[in-house]
Amino acid sequence: MMDFGGEDDFLQRVTNIKAQQKFRLKPTQTILLSFMLMIGLGTLLLMLPVSTTNGMGLPAMDALFVSTSASCVTGLTVVDVKNDLSFFGKCVLLMLIQVGGLGIMTLATMAAHAMGYRFQLKHSIILQESLNQSGRSGLFGLIQRMIIYTLVVEGFFAVLLTLHFYPEFGFEAIGYGIFHAVSAFCNAGFDLFGHYDSLCQRPDDIFLMAGIGLPIILGGIGFTVMYDVLHAGSWRKFSLHTKIVLVSNLILILAGTLLIWGIETSNSHTIGTMPLGQQLAHSAFMSVSCRTAGFNTFDLAQATQITQLVMIILMFIGASPLSTGGGIKSTTFFVIIRSVLAVFRGESELTVFGRAISKELRDQAFAIFTIGTIWVVSTGIILSVIDGEVHDLEEVIFETVSAFGTVGMGIGITLSWNEWGKALLALTMLLGRVGIMTFMLSFIQQKQSIIKHPEENVMIG
């Protein structure tokens, strides 16, 4: 007979197995936890006396808010980065932006892979979830390309911006160049110009707008699209994902540019007094930036309410999948619009560029849009209650969508939130960065049912 080591040992083994199964984290929970740990570490570092110029460190809630904003590459801030943070504090902020932009799972995987660690199936599944990939083939190659593209793009624009800043800042231009190149490519929106002005005090600096705007676009379209464009060689060879991303981004940038310019061209408080070329440059930059980056070239509080509404829509849509940006994503918006058109046209199959879009993908797109809308509206209402309706509801919604889309554009009310308001906005930034589906699936257990129920019509519309 086999010796199981006694009844007590057998029960202990069974109990341990059940405990491991019970407390085993799902891939989505692991991704969420990794961001939370990074935010926690950033919070502790920013609370250190060495992180601030006054030698006192940031208060706990302010440190948590700024750490979340940097880790989720948002840009909303309750501190003046240039004047309140020390050199150490700025380095901590830059580290959080870089790691948050690439994703902590990505960097940890690459480091482990470089040391010869062989990944098990469960680790590959977690990585697959974090990179929003449908399969595990080529994951490490994708990660390598992500890091290489990041270093190349950031390095190139860091050199350009350093040369541009040198006449003004001298050798400090190196820090300015690196910080803004990383902040732009990661779509973070943090700057070192001080007084919460972003680029507002540099309205004539078109080179700076281009030097920040181009890496924003590259970081916002996603790494897979960059690879496809560089290696496929022609439109015909592009994947369907790349085609949708390029088309949707082009439409959104052009539409945003024309709308902002058309509305603000008569507003003397923003771009109304500028020459036509400069007006178009500002409008194009704001159209690009308000999708997910957060840099601004004029005071948003002085913009018309219609422009603010246009920006809210663009911020809600956000960047593209597997990018450094947030929002519901441009591909989600594209699939929803195309699905609506298909319904009105009576099309039995949803096709885009000669390829069919699955029903499961359409359902996910509508779920992301619906949950995102509910979250933004609910959070806006709660923030208005917390705020005591001191600020207009449109300002509160603007702030909420800016956090949800990890944009970071402020309309002048960020500093006025109490601790509850900051905590809720921090949670919204986290949701926007990890993604709605990842966030929700961390708390919801999916069930596969084999039971088919009879159908019955319900009147809608």
Side-chain angles (χ1 to χ4, degrees):
M1 295 180 62
M2 296 181 63
D3 183 11
F4 289 98
E7 182 178 354
D8 292 340
D9 290 343
F10 177 74
L11 289 175
Q12 185 176 3
R13 291 180 184 179
V14 173
T15 304
N16 287 339
I17 292 174
K18 289 184 177 180
Q20 291 174 5
Q21 292 176 344
K22 182 177 180 181
F23 293 105
R24 182 177 297 167
L25 293 175
K26 296 190 295 183
T28 52
Q29 292 173 330
T30 304
I31 297 167
L32 182 61
L33 182 61
S34 69
F35 271 93
M36 293 175 65
L37 290 175
M38 180 170 62
I39 290 170
L41 175 61
T43 301
L44 294 176
L45 291 175
L46 291 174
M47 290 175 63
L48 296 176
V50 70
S51 292
T52 57
T53 53
N54 62 10
M56 299 177 62
L58 292 180
M61 183 52 69
D62 288 350
L64 174 64
F65 188 90
V66 174
S67 178
T68 304
S69 184
S71 301
C72 300
V73 289
T74 303
L76 287 175
T77 179
V78 290
V79 299
D80 186 333
V81 175
K82 178 181 181 180
N83 298 310
D84 293 341
L85 295 184
S86 64
F87 177 77
F88 178 82
K90 293 181 178 73
C91 289
V92 170
L93 195 69
L94 187 64
M95 176 198 69
L96 294 173
I97 292 171
Q98 186 69 87
V99 176
L102 279 172
I104 190 170
M105 298 297 298
T106 302
L107 294 176
T109 300
M110 198 64 219
H113 188 61
M115 292 185 292
Y117 180 80
R118 297 180 62 85
F119 285 83
Q120 300 177 7
L121 177 61
K122 63 179 181 179
H123 299 139
S124 297
I125 294 175
I126 293 173
L127 182 60
Q128 175 186 330
E129 289 278 352
S130 68
L131 295 176
N132 194 25
Q133 297 294 293
S134 58
R136 294 188 298 276
S137 61
L139 282 177
F140 296 113
L142 173 61
I143 293 174
Q144 288 177 330
R145 292 194 297 271
M146 288 172 62
I147 295 177
I148 291 172
Y149 292 162
T150 298
L151 294 176
V152 170
V153 174
E154 290 180 353
F156 176 77
F157 283 98
V159 172
L160 288 184
L161 291 175
T162 297
L163 295 175
H164 181 68
F165 288 136
Y166 185 79
E168 180 179 359
F169 298 109
F171 286 107
E172 290 185 4
I174 298 174
Y176 276 79
I178 294 174
F179 188 95
H180 291 99
V182 173
S183 183
F185 182 72
C186 292
N187 284 210
F190 285 95
D191 67 89
L192 296 178
F193 301 121
H195 308 294
Y196 308 97
D197 287 331
S198 192
L199 310 184
C200 293
Q201 301 302 318
R202 299 166 180 268
D204 302 326
D205 200 339
I206 305 300
F207 184 92
L208 181 59
M209 293 183 202
I212 289 180
L214 289 175
I216 289 174
I217 294 175
L218 293 175
I221 62 175
F223 295 99
T224 55
V225 175
M226 282 193 284
Y227 177 79
D228 212 6
V229 170
L230 289 173
H231 293 85
S234 66
W235 175 266
R236 184 177 58 84
K237 296 180 180 179
F238 288 166
S239 67
L240 178 61
H241 172 78
T242 297
K243 292 179 180 179
I244 292 177
V245 168
L246 293 178
V247 169
S248 60
N249 274 270
L250 180 62
I251 292 173
L252 289 170
I253 291 173
L254 290 177
T257 299
L258 293 175
L259 285 171
I260 293 172
W261 173 74
I263 298 167
E264 294 297 320
T265 188
S266 58
N267 186 353
S268 60
H269 298 292
T270 54
I271 63 174
T273 59
M274 300 177 184
L276 177 61
Q278 199 169 336
Q279 287 183 354
L280 291 174
H282 279 259
S283 300
F285 181 87
M286 293 297 287
S287 177
V288 169
S289 184
C290 74
R291 288 265 306 288
T292 184
F295 294 96
N296 55 287
T297 58
F298 55 76
D299 188 354
L300 299 178
Q302 299 295 324
T304 64
Q305 290 186 334
I306 302 176
T307 297
Q308 293 173 4
L309 178 59
V310 169
M311 290 182 175
I312 286 174
I313 295 172
L314 292 174
M315 289 191 297
F316 184 75
I317 296 172
S320 302
L322 200 58
S323 71
T324 56
I328 64 170
K329 302 297 188 292
S330 59
T331 49
T332 303
F333 179 74
F334 185 95
V335 170
I336 289 173
I337 296 298
R338 183 64 185 87
S339 299
V340 171
L341 291 176
V343 170
F344 286 114
R345 291 176 178 176
E347 299 174 3
S348 58
E349 185 180 48
L350 178 61
T351 58
V352 179
F353 300 119
R355 295 290 186 269
I357 301 293
S358 67
K359 182 180 181 299
E360 180 182 6
L361 194 63
R362 283 179 281 168
D363 290 343
Q364 289 181 359
F366 278 99
I368 290 171
F369 176 82
T370 302
I371 296 172
T373 302
I374 292 173
W375 183 279
V376 166
V377 172
S378 302
T379 302
I381 293 173
I382 296 173
L383 285 173
S384 294
V385 173
I386 293 174
D387 181 55
E389 297 189 16
V390 173
H391 300 102
D392 293 336
L393 181 60
E394 184 176 359
E395 294 178 330
V396 176
I397 293 296
F398 190 100
E399 189 92 346
T400 305
V401 177
S402 182
F404 172 79
T406 68
V407 180
M409 278 191 172
I411 203 165
I413 65 174
T414 307
L415 294 174
S416 63
W417 295 113
N418 60 21
E419 292 190 353
W420 288 105
K422 293 175 184 176
L424 186 55
L425 284 173
L427 179 61
T428 302
M429 288 187 278
L430 178 61
L431 180 145
R433 181 64 186 99
V434 301
I436 296 174
M437 294 298 291
T438 299
F439 188 86
M440 298 303 296
L441 292 177
S442 299
F443 304 99
I444 299 175
Q445 183 67 42
Q446 288 185 306
K447 297 180 180 179
Q448 298 292 335
S449 177
I450 60 174
I451 300 175
K452 300 295 182 181
H453 298 279
E455 294 183 358
E456 186 173 346
N457 289 330
V458 177
M459 291 183 291
I460 60 175

